[in-house]
Amino acid sequence: MSFAFFFPGQGSQSLHMMNGFDGVQVVRDTFAEASDALNQDLWAMMNGEDAEIIGQTVNTQPLMLTAGVATYRAYLAAGGALPSVVAGHSLGEYSALVAAGSLKFTDAVKLVRLRAELMQSAVPQGVGAMAAILGLDDDVVRQICADAEQGEVCEAVNFNSIGQIVIAGNAAAVERAMTAAKEAGAKRALPLPVSVPSHCRLMQTAAEKLAVALQDVALMQPEIRVIHNADVVSYNDAAQIKDALVRQLYSPVRWTETVQLLVREGVTESAECGPGKVLAGLAKRIEKEAVCSALVSQEAVDAFIAAH
């Protein structure tokens, strides 16, 4: 029985998010490995009381990567079978590459910390914004963004499910697009609490610096097929994988198409590997046949393994 594993990205973090894995040694070990690589105690940060600190991009990215990989390792340690295909939403693509054996975990931890720093420094605080637009067609949102630019940047950047699109760019242009979206009949247009306008062309300078850093990172041929966000295809060649990661920074996350592709191929079963249930919820909205389990605890992991 073939099934997919999905890895969540930023926005799924919460304090105490690994509580469902209390006493699972491999989870603690994974966090210790990441903390050593960064010289910073991620476990203590995640289990502290400061939600703001784990919401800072430079902390969220390594935390979510580590949480996803720790969950995957807990699944393997419990005797879970390998998925036939993996994909990650935005930052989750790095977790997917680690799971596929393409990227070493400690390299990935340092890489996503750098990626976060580059993203944060590419656009000064307050200059960029992101917003979710609900209930409009993809092409309508693209057109609204194009009209809202007026010399600035505003793009549709996350196609999360049908009628759920995230836009990003300069704060004023995003504001104009939100107003236009409401006028065009959007159910909702909500500003998102993020400090970085991800996946739009304001990230191009960050992407260029990421490309330089990737030159020094070893990437192996994936042992499990990885579907990339930027073009909804898989690569085996290290140079092509690096290129996909660079382009991902300033290209839309094509999540709707990713789930649709898998269902077309007959892969209707999946598991969201990491905290939260965002991707499990999206899968259901994208394709009626898609069944996605959220592996938010050791019990959920054991239940998924028992069913497969």
Side-chain angles (χ1 to χ4, degrees), residues 3 45 52 65 75 94 108-109 122 148 151 172 185 230 237 259-260 264:
F3 54 87
M45 186 193 290
E52 201 177 303
L65 172 93
Y75 165 82
Y94 289 79
V109 173
D237 176 69
V259 175
Q260 287 170 335
R264 273 204 308 279

Side-chain angles (χ1 to χ4, degrees), residues 80-257:
L82 290 180
S84 55
V85 55
V86 293
H89 189 284
S90 187
L91 165 78
E93 191 162 301
Y94 289 79
S95 317
L97 286 165
V98 173
S102 176
L103 181 57
K104 247 180 65 186
F105 176 53
T106 48
D107 286 345
V109 173
K110 292 175 190 163
L111 202 51
V112 301
R113 165 58 56 84
L114 174 69
R115 176 181 183 267
E117 287 168 350
L118 293 174
M119 289 169 73
Q120 195 72 70
S121 60
V123 180
Q125 213 57 350
V127 170
M130 294 181 82
I133 308 293
L134 307 183
L136 290 180
D137 189 68
D138 292 4
D139 286 334
V140 173
V141 176
R142 284 191 188 101
Q143 189 57 52
I144 283 170
C145 288
D147 294 342
E149 285 203 329
Q150 297 173 22
E152 293 186 310
V153 171
C154 184
E155 296 177 79
V157 295
N158 291 5
F159 294 92
N160 287 333
S161 69
I162 293 140
Q164 187 185 329
I165 300 165
V166 173
I167 65 172
N170 292 102
V174 168
E175 196 64 52
R176 288 192 289 272
M178 284 167 65
T179 304
K182 286 176 193 154
E183 285 165 6
K187 288 197 190 86
R188 313 195 54 190
L190 313 160
L192 296 178
V194 293
S195 52
V196 173
S198 308
H199 301 292
C200 72
R201 58 187 193 276
L202 292 174
M203 287 294 125
Q204 250 158 331
T205 53
E208 285 157 19
K209 291 174 183 160
L210 182 68
V212 173
L214 276 164
Q215 288 170 2
D216 299 326
V217 177
L219 276 175
M220 283 65 76
Q221 181 172 332
E223 292 152 26
I224 301 167
R225 177 179 162 215
V226 180
I227 300 177
H228 293 278
N229 290 174
D231 27 32
V232 201
V233 293
S234 309
Y235 297 111
N236 285 321
D237 176 69
Q240 287 180 307
I241 294 169
K242 288 179 181 182
D243 181 53
L245 290 176
V246 170
R247 284 184 293 118
Q248 190 228 51
L249 258 194
Y250 59 84
S251 305
V253 174
R254 294 163 62 181
W255 195 253
T256 303
E257 291 169 85

Side-chain angles (χ1 to χ4, degrees), residues 16-33:
H16 313 290
M17 62 187 172
M18 296 303 284
N19 276 6
F21 294 91
D22 260 0
V24 179
Q25 193 57 44
V26 69
V27 169
R28 288 301 299 264
D29 292 347
T30 303
F31 270 84
E33 197 183 335

